[in-house]
Amino acid sequence: MKRQLPLAIIFLCGAFTLFQYFIPHEQSEYLYEFVALDWPPIIGVFALMLGIFSLIRVSWGKIRRKSENWPYAIVTLIGLAGMIATGLPGIGDHNAPAVRWQFNYIVYPVSATMFSILSFFIASAAYRAFRARSFLATVLLVSAVIVMIRFFPLGPLTDPVGTTADWVLNVPNLAAKRAIVIGVGLGIVATALKIVLGIERSYMGRD
Amino acid sequence: MPHTPTPPYTSPARLLALGMVVLAMLWATLTLAQTPGDTAATVAVETAPAPQPPLPATGIRAYDAPNDGGHAITVEWTASGDDGQGRNNVVMYRVLRTPALRGPISPDSVPPGDPSYRLFDSRAYGTAAWRFIENQWDTLADVPMGSTRYENRGGKQRASNDFLPDHIEFRYKVLTINDAGGIAESEVSAPASASGQYLHTGKLLHIGIPVVIFLALVLYFINAAKSGRELYIRPLAGINAVDEAIGRATEMNRPILYVLGLGAADEIATIASLTILSRVTKKVAEHRTELLVPCYDAVVMSIAQETVKQAYLDAGRPDEYKDDIVYFVTQEQFAYVAAVNGTMLRRQTATNFYLGVFFAESLILAETGSIAGSIQISGTDRTTQIPFFVVACDYTLIGEELFAASAYLSREPKLLGTLKAQDYAKAIFLGVLIAGCVGAALQWQWIARTFHLSF
């Protein structure tokens, strides 16, 4: 029963979603939009509480055990408590100046800093990828250079380079991309069918 | 000095001149007043005759829009004889509808007993009243020359201004307008009403039938695999490297990092990643290696906790499972990246798995792992992130390989059967693509019509 009930629920939900897709009627739409889609946010709220509990437990464990770099766990807990406290009804709300200050002067700058690291990582990853160690790597390097310099003013070479770059993007690149997308689509359908039909149940253990 | 008298302003000559001017003005005013109409306007009318109307649109037909949830009526007509031919001066068509709708009106203000008012209410879209006025025409839209079809798709919400109720009859007409401003009115269509359908025939043909064929292939190959038929599956380097990667972590006595990505639990890639996590965890439990699963989504974390717990149980090492293996970090994208990168660098993880849905953080994670010297196995269905993983990771599962990985790891006949079915489905797709290319080259329109998606 412990395994049959979840499998039955998965089958029913999967079958409902599948059949709903083929039924355009308003009642079917209503069931999907106003009944089925109501569940994820409700579950999400409860799961978020579990998530916060998990974060507190892990951080508190680090502090208690004096694990390596444990003071950072204190910063995590202070940040969590500060954001919750300033956003609580009665003390503030999600638009309270203290909450906005934390977002504007801590969260956004730190996020932007992390994001900006991407540009340096692109350079280092591109350097590794473009080393012409083999024929295919050389093809990659040449294609990448053509695509990168297509917007440069190159005098009489501007048009040929632009045309070649467009061809690289629209023919071999797009063909490969579409092949991947078709494969992904089939993989999604196959995985969905495996799960709905109970063929794939490894995520529940004892497959 | 003799005084020169100034002429008086009221001299007889001046008075006479002034009187003549006044008489002349009076005559002119009276004469113009007796002329019928305004002289200037009359001249304009005489020089600009009324614009000649174009030939009207004909054969106007209205019917319920097919394969929808209701609230839509399709209007079709035959183009005017002056649209693209004849005088070729039609600029647009104007679509009108009666009964005219007035609303939404508060239900409280509806006069009792007046049949022209209708009240619509529903749990989903609220309550509102509308008034239907016969023989008054609402202008719906102007559509450009060359058009012969207009879909009157109204709002579904009762309180919306463009609400189009189901099961109420409407009639349509089309005005043909030319470049001189001439207007020709079509005949009025027969009444039509909107309603929702219980089966989308277009989706059934283009999606339902292929899904059924695919399902049949899946079941056939599952049965074939169960009956002991040997199914050849192309080896995947990324999957073959999983054992090696776990063994390396065990030898180095360092943890394994498993990142489920930023997808929610309803993403198939995340579910595929959870199935792989289960397989990986069993091997990790057998090797008694440390596993770290930082999570971005709280729902995914809850599922992953159960998956990992069950995998430890299945591996016969329930005592090795700790609640701290799977933990929640944050739902801020780059804060999550910072936390995972910090874990990689501080804990010096030997092996990193990145399997699931990834966005801009893919390269930041993979490049940090590469700098830390970890073996990295990645996989995602996001085509924009695959190149980043390819350049920064040792092995990458590209697109569908992510969904196939669980079957590869288990080698279970049922799951291998689905992989084989996928391969055959791809072969069918390839055949259809080639047929489409050949058909397009030979201008076989029926191929395009057969595979034309209208939803």
Side-chain angles (χ1 to χ4, degrees):
Chain A
M1 191 63 182
K2 193 182 166 188
R3 287 174 57 77
Q4 298 307 320
L5 186 65
L7 284 174
I9 292 171
I10 289 167
F11 176 77
L12 287 174
C13 292
F16 165 74
T17 312
L18 180 66
F19 286 116
Q20 190 276 334
Y21 181 72
F22 294 100
I23 303 171
H25 197 274
E26 203 174 0
Q27 288 170 356
S28 157
E29 201 176 65
Y30 171 75
L31 272 177
Y32 181 70
E33 283 185 15
F34 295 94
V35 179
L37 291 189
D38 273 352
W39 281 93
I42 294 167
I43 296 168
V45 168
F46 284 102
L48 190 61
M49 287 194 281
L50 289 175
I52 291 170
F53 176 68
S54 162
L55 182 67
I56 293 169
R57 192 187 56 219
V58 171
S59 301
W60 179 248
K62 282 181 188 171
I63 295 166
R64 196 165 43 83
R65 290 193 303 270
K66 295 277 191 292
S67 306
E68 192 183 0
N69 298 313
W70 65 272
Y72 293 130
I74 298 176
V75 177
T76 304
L77 291 180
I78 289 173
L80 178 70
M83 190 64 89
I84 291 173
T86 49
L88 278 177
I91 300 172
D93 58 48
H94 67 282
N95 265 328
V99 175
R100 273 189 280 134
W101 186 90
Q102 289 174 86
F103 268 101
N104 291 339
Y105 296 103
I106 299 174
V107 176
Y108 294 151
V110 171
S111 294
T113 305
M114 281 306 298
F115 188 38
S116 64
I117 292 172
L118 185 61
S119 61
F120 299 101
F121 282 165
I122 284 177
S124 63
Y127 171 73
R128 264 208 314 281
F130 294 161
R131 273 182 298 180
R133 287 175 301 186
S134 64
F135 172 70
L136 289 176
T138 311
V139 171
L140 182 68
L141 172 65
V142 172
S143 307
V145 168
I146 290 170
V147 171
M148 281 193 287
I149 65 171
R150 75 190 141 141
F151 295 122
F152 289 5
L154 298 170
L157 289 177
T158 304
D159 282 348
V161 167
T163 309
T164 313
D166 287 345
W167 181 84
V168 168
L169 288 172
N170 293 330
V171 181
N173 176 63
L174 195 61
K177 206 171 168 180
R178 283 182 179 163
I180 293 171
V181 169
I182 289 172
V184 166
L186 280 171
I188 286 174
V189 174
T191 309
L193 282 176
K194 279 189 285 186
I195 290 168
V196 169
L197 299 176
I199 297 167
E200 171 69 83
R201 52 179 81 172
S202 59
Y203 59 96
M204 296 172 73
R206 283 200 197 88
D207 45 324
Chain B
M1 189 173 182
H3 173 71
T4 306
T6 52
Y9 285 102
T10 54
S11 68
R14 279 179 178 261
L15 280 175
L16 183 64
L18 190 64
M20 284 179 73
V21 168
V22 170
L23 279 174
M25 288 174 69
L26 191 63
W27 174 82
T29 306
L30 288 172
T31 308
L32 288 173
Q34 285 169 359
T35 309
D38 181 29
T39 308
T42 306
V43 169
V45 168
E46 283 169 359
T47 53
Q52 192 174 3
L55 291 171
T58 54
I60 184 160
R61 193 165 71 97
Y63 56 91
D64 176 31
N67 291 326
D68 67 355
H71 307 283
I73 294 173
T74 303
V75 186
E76 284 183 346
W77 59 90
T78 304
S80 156
D82 290 334
D83 183 358
Q85 52 186 326
R87 275 172 288 178
N88 194 19
N89 60 352
V90 171
V91 289
M92 65 178 179
Y93 297 98
R94 182 164 292 158
V95 185
L96 294 94
R97 180 186 67 194
T98 191
L101 267 69
R102 297 289 177 266
I105 302 158
S106 166
D108 300 333
S109 58
V110 173
D114 189 334
S116 67
Y117 287 88
R118 306 269 172 82
L119 192 69
F120 294 94
D121 64 332
S122 86
R123 284 166 61 195
Y125 299 114
T127 305
W130 287 75
R131 191 178 180 205
F132 296 83
I133 307 165
E134 287 290 346
N135 297 321
Q136 279 196 22
W137 293 86
D138 273 338
T139 298
L140 298 176
D142 289 338
V143 293
M145 52 179 276
S147 307
T148 56
R149 189 172 184 276
Y150 171 73
E151 191 165 275
N152 179 201
R153 186 163 289 283
K156 292 181 179 178
Q157 300 196 1
R158 271 61 171 161
S160 64
N161 279 319
D162 62 342
F163 173 58
L164 177 68
D166 281 348
H167 311 300
I168 298 285
E169 288 191 333
F170 294 94
R171 286 172 294 142
Y172 293 82
K173 67 180 177 184
V174 174
L175 305 184
T176 308
I177 302 171
N178 65 15
D179 55 5
I183 298 172
E185 200 169 291
S186 73
E187 291 178 346
V188 177
S189 74
S193 61
S195 63
Q197 281 77 52
Y198 284 100
L199 184 64
H200 195 300
T201 51
K203 284 182 179 176
L204 187 70
L205 178 69
H206 291 105
I207 295 173
I209 292 174
V211 166
V212 169
I213 292 171
F214 184 57
L215 188 59
L217 281 172
V218 168
L219 295 176
Y220 171 76
F221 281 106
I222 285 174
N223 281 331
K226 273 183 179 172
S227 63
R229 184 172 146 193
E230 193 67 31
L231 297 176
Y232 172 75
I233 303 292
R234 179 171 58 91
L236 289 178
I239 300 298
N240 294 339
V242 168
D243 285 337
E244 178 200 333
I246 295 171
R248 180 176 183 261
T250 310
E251 283 172 14
M252 296 173 79
N253 196 24
R254 285 190 195 165
I256 290 170
L257 179 73
Y258 194 104
V259 180
L260 287 155
L262 268 58
D266 60 349
E267 297 265 5
I268 293 287
T270 308
I271 296 171
S273 182
L274 284 164
T275 63
I276 301 167
L277 173 65
S278 172
R279 314 275 183 203
V280 169
T281 305
K282 274 183 205 165
K283 292 179 193 291
V284 166
E286 287 162 8
H287 287 78
R288 296 192 170 186
T289 314
E290 188 182 358
L291 178 67
L292 300 170
V293 189
C295 293
Y296 172 82
D297 186 280
V299 178
V300 174
M301 181 208 74
S302 303
I303 303 168
Q305 276 181 338
E306 287 304 312
T307 303
V308 169
K309 195 174 185 177
Q310 190 63 48
Y312 269 91
L313 199 65
D314 292 350
R317 304 215 191 278
D319 51 314
E320 294 281 323
Y321 173 76
K322 298 185 195 79
D323 284 339
D324 295 353
I325 291 173
V326 183
Y327 57 96
F328 178 72
V329 179
T330 174
Q331 267 186 312
E332 276 290 324
Q333 181 183 19
F334 291 105
Y336 176 76
V337 175
V340 175
N341 281 359
T343 304
M344 270 184 227
L345 295 172
R346 284 194 298 273
R347 302 294 309 275
Q348 289 292 301
T349 52
T351 303
N352 300 334
F353 290 93
Y354 311 109
L355 300 168
V357 177
F358 290 88
F359 301 97
E361 72 287 348
S362 62
L363 187 63
I364 303 177
L365 292 170
E367 197 62 7
T368 306
S370 177
I371 291 165
S374 314
I375 278 194
Q376 303 199 98
I377 299 173
S378 60
T380 184
D381 61 348
R382 305 288 142 148
T383 50
T384 48
Q385 305 306 322
I386 289 170
F388 293 136
F389 277 144
V390 168
V391 297
C393 295
D394 299 284
Y395 303 98
T396 301
L397 302 174
I398 297 172
E400 57 167 334
E401 293 173 355
L402 171 67
F403 305 116
S406 175
Y408 270 92
L409 286 168
S410 71
R411 309 298 298 182
E412 199 187 325
K414 279 194 294 185
L415 297 176
L416 291 179
T418 58
L419 288 188
K420 209 66 189 168
Q422 263 177 267
D423 285 346
Y424 275 84
K426 271 188 284 185
I428 293 171
F429 266 86
L430 194 61
V432 171
L433 283 174
I434 291 169
C437 292
V438 172
L442 297 175
Q443 295 190 333
W444 291 347
Q445 296 298 323
W446 62 269
I447 287 194
R449 279 198 297 273
T450 306
F451 293 102
H452 175 71
L453 301 179
S454 57
F455 50 89

